[in-house]
Amino acid sequence: MTLQTALSANSALIPADALRTGTRLEDYEIDCVVARSAMAMVYRAQDRRSKQAVAIKEFLPTGLAMRGDDGQVVARESSHEHNFQRGREVFLEEAKALATYDHACLMRVLSVLECHGTVYKVMP
């Protein structure tokens, strides 16, 4: 059983701070969570224009930030604000750099999104 199947089969495994199925990020619609790390959440999504499946990686460091009731990603405490913002900047810079390359050894980035107080990398 894959992680994706396990998460789909057992809603108790879906992180509480994950974007919900059907959430739209510009032209992309979230299908499900496929992975979670200490720094990011990865979703399977559909490109509503091309109808192709994509992966979307969201900068969401669990030790520094959380998703508020309004859906915005914010620092957990005011003392974490600087580190969260700096991490967000680094994630954004990396995503933009990767979007300029097309090399077999690098994860291709199709698009970079900034919304909900965080950054997203859209990948094949």
Side-chain angles (χ1 to χ4, degrees), residues 4 28 32 52 54 61 81 110 124:
Q4 174 184 329
Y28 306 97
C32 64
Q52 292 187 347
V54 296
E81 184 67 34
L110 303 172

Side-chain angles (χ1 to χ4, degrees), residues 27-117:
D27 291 327
Y28 306 97
E29 187 171 324
I30 300 296
D31 289 336
C32 64
V33 176
V34 294
R36 176 70 160 127
S37 72
M39 296 303 293
M41 186 103 59
V42 180
Y43 304 93
R44 185 182 69 206
Q46 290 290 319
D47 182 330
R48 293 170 42 82
R49 290 172 295 155
S50 70
K51 305 299 184 209
Q52 292 187 347
V54 296
I56 299 179
K57 186 173 189 177
E58 175 184 39
F59 179 66
L60 186 58
T62 56
L64 298 176
M66 63 184 183
R67 189 177 318 282
D69 292 337
D70 62 356
Q72 294 294 308
V73 176
V74 296
R76 285 192 176 278
E77 299 177 17
S78 59
S79 62
H80 296 319
E81 184 67 34
H82 173 76
N83 289 335
F84 170 64
Q85 290 303 327
R86 181 63 187 133
R88 184 184 177 283
E89 289 170 16
V90 170
F91 189 91
L92 177 61
E93 289 168 11
E94 176 188 89
K96 285 181 176 179
L98 287 170
T100 66
Y101 298 112
D102 187 9
H103 190 280
C105 293
L106 298 173
M107 175 54 70
R108 188 163 169 237
V109 173
L110 303 172
S111 182
V112 179
L113 311 173
E114 292 184 78
C115 56
H116 302 274

Side-chain angles (χ1 to χ4, degrees), residues 8-20:
S8 299
N10 186 350
S11 61
L13 296 177
I14 298 172
D17 55 351
L19 292 172
R20 297 290 165 227

